[in-house]
Amino acid sequence: MNAPAPQPGLSTIDDEDARYMAAAIEFGRRGLGLAAPNPSVGALVVRDGVIVGRGATRAGGRPHAETEALKDAGDLARGATLYVSLEPCSHHGVTPPCADAIVRACVARVVSALDDPDTRVAGRGHERLRLAGIEVRIGVGADAARRANLGHILRISAGRPMVTLKLAETADGYAAGGNHDPRLMITGLAANNRVQMMRALHDAIMVGVGTALADDPLLTVRTAGLESRRPLCVVLDTHLRLPQRSRLATTAGDRKTLVIAGRDAPAERQIALESLGIEVVRVETANGHVDPAAALALLGKRGVTRVFSEGGPTVAADLIARGLADDVVMFTSPKPLAREGVPSLASSARAVLADATRFRLSSDVETGVDRMRRYERVL
């Protein structure tokens, strides 16, 4: 692939570095939802303006992106530039250090977006490269790389995965009708397909038991070609009310399902759910419900880096209020409910989304007949 033409106003080297790094970050996204507990990194080997090697973190977190890109480049890596969206590892784990592989490949220059916060790396990878005489440039594309690697960064620094919160609402702001109304189908085909893709890019899909009771969801990825992606199903269920005949319970033998309950949940209900292949774990409660911070900490300890929350208005408001929602994706239908229903989001949570010191509106687009707005937590 030939290098794109430089943009006016930037030096050639800065412009090339920015564009190749952007491509490396995007290439790394193909491992999102597959690479945990490792970050999904992208790497490109560029020689004389041509991309000669590509690599992304493989399923399960190994092999790493750098070694995949070097393998793809072969002898053409000698004297080339390696672009990588996160610092190359420097420690011996299941696989040898990527920094050593880069040195052996005789790469002349490494452009890296970020230092890895993992204490086993934390600048040591970059230092190893410098000591070997390799030119190292750090910080190109840092903001985009930080977003792409946020699940890894938060798991290391805060002990929790990143959370994408998805909500759907009618034009007049409702997520559901009245107590006895049938399930409200809010969004159209294009938005529903977008949600399937979002599910596939996460390690776990999380709902509250209220959503499980009202909608009886499957929480599967139903996009053609992605059926093999099976994120962990997580239900926040303080009192273990998930019915044994629910679709989540009856399909638990086909994919991993975790119910997170409160300390005082009935033991007999736990036994019944476990007999279906569901794992039940108890955590602390807050205000009478499973503490979402405790639930996320539990998932972080298990190596989960990215959670897609479809938990409904109550869980959504709690996550936003506690600063635990990192991306908020709101789908709005053009059709109103035109009667009283369940508000999609509490006014206090909407106020947080509108606070420019806490969230920024990163995109506002039409998705079929619906509108999709994405809010990113200010880092």
Side-chain angles (χ1 to χ4, degrees):
M1 181 184 294
N2 293 326
Q7 298 176 2
L10 291 175
S11 70
T12 301
I13 189 65
D14 286 348
D15 183 61
E16 286 188 354
D17 282 352
R19 287 181 288 113
Y20 284 126
M21 181 59 74
I25 292 168
E26 286 304 309
F27 198 71
R29 286 177 58 82
R30 64 180 52 198
L32 293 177
L34 296 173
N38 289 345
S40 181
V41 177
L44 300 178
V45 180
V46 178
R47 180 169 178 166
D48 299 326
V50 178
I51 297 175
V52 297
R54 301 171 177 83
T57 309
R58 300 291 292 273
R62 301 178 186 87
H64 292 179
E66 300 93 321
T67 55
E68 289 290 280
L70 294 172
K71 179 181 177 181
D72 190 35
D75 291 340
L76 293 175
R78 181 180 292 272
T81 297
L82 173 70
Y83 294 87
V84 61
S85 60
L86 188 68
E87 178 181 9
C89 65
S90 57
H91 62 285
H92 283 269
V94 176
T95 55
C98 289
D100 289 355
I102 296 168
V103 172
R104 288 195 302 271
C106 297
V107 168
R109 182 170 178 262
V110 171
V111 181
S112 174
L114 294 171
D115 283 334
D116 190 336
D118 190 329
T119 55
R120 297 171 297 176
V121 187
R124 295 182 182 88
H126 291 143
E127 183 62 19
R128 171 75 179 92
L129 300 176
R130 290 193 183 97
L131 290 174
I134 296 173
E135 179 188 345
V136 178
R137 184 182 184 193
I138 305 169
V140 176
D143 289 343
R146 190 170 293 108
R147 289 288 176 186
N149 291 294
L150 187 57
H152 168 69
I153 293 169
L154 285 175
R155 195 173 78 86
I156 296 299
S157 63
R160 70 166 178 90
M162 70 87 64
V163 176
T164 300
L165 172 61
K166 170 256 173 180
L167 293 164
E169 63 177 4
T170 60
D172 45 0
Y174 293 107
N179 289 335
H180 302 292
D181 285 2
R183 181 181 177 183
L184 192 61
M185 306 304 291
I186 296 175
T187 51
L189 180 61
N192 293 341
N193 287 339
R194 181 70 70 93
V195 170
Q196 296 300 314
M197 291 298 298
M198 290 179 179
R199 287 179 176 181
L201 295 175
H202 291 77
D203 312 323
I205 304 172
M206 183 173 74
V207 298
V209 71
T211 296
L213 291 171
D215 297 345
D216 194 21
L218 270 173
L219 303 183
T220 53
V221 177
R222 297 187 292 277
T223 298
L226 295 177
E227 298 90 348
S228 63
R229 296 210 178 192
R230 298 189 174 187
L232 171 69
C233 295
V234 180
V235 183
L236 305 183
D237 186 1
T238 308
H239 304 294
L240 292 177
R241 294 189 292 147
L242 183 69
Q244 290 176 256
R245 293 187 178 182
S246 65
R247 296 201 292 175
L248 284 175
T250 57
T251 60
D254 299 328
R255 70 262 178 79
K256 293 182 179 179
T257 303
L258 173 66
V259 172
I260 303 179
R263 299 291 185 193
D264 298 329
E268 64 275 13
R269 294 291 301 146
Q270 176 171 344
I271 294 170
L273 291 175
E274 288 176 338
S275 71
L276 299 173
I278 295 173
E279 181 182 4
V280 178
V281 178
R282 297 167 183 260
V283 300
E284 299 301 325
T285 55
N287 299 319
H289 301 284
V290 165
D291 184 347
L296 292 174
L298 169 70
L299 295 174
K301 288 179 181 178
R302 293 183 171 218
V304 173
T305 62
R306 293 172 57 83
V307 171
F308 190 62
S309 176
E310 300 186 64
T314 301
V315 171
D318 204 8
L319 290 171
I320 291 172
R322 290 167 168 262
L324 298 174
D326 303 297
D327 277 9
V328 179
V329 181
M330 178 80 77
F331 291 95
T332 304
S333 166
K335 297 180 180 180
L337 180 62
R339 62 180 186 278
E340 284 299 312
V342 179
S344 60
L345 200 57
S347 58
S348 57
R350 288 188 185 275
V352 173
L353 290 182
D355 183 349
T357 66
R358 300 181 67 177
F359 279 90
R360 73 178 189 91
L361 180 64
S362 62
S363 64
D364 186 347
V365 298
E366 298 299 322
T367 302
V369 298
D370 303 304
R371 179 184 180 190
M372 185 186 81
R373 288 164 293 169
R374 181 186 291 270
Y375 299 86
E376 294 178 341
R377 184 173 61 84
V378 174
L379 300 179

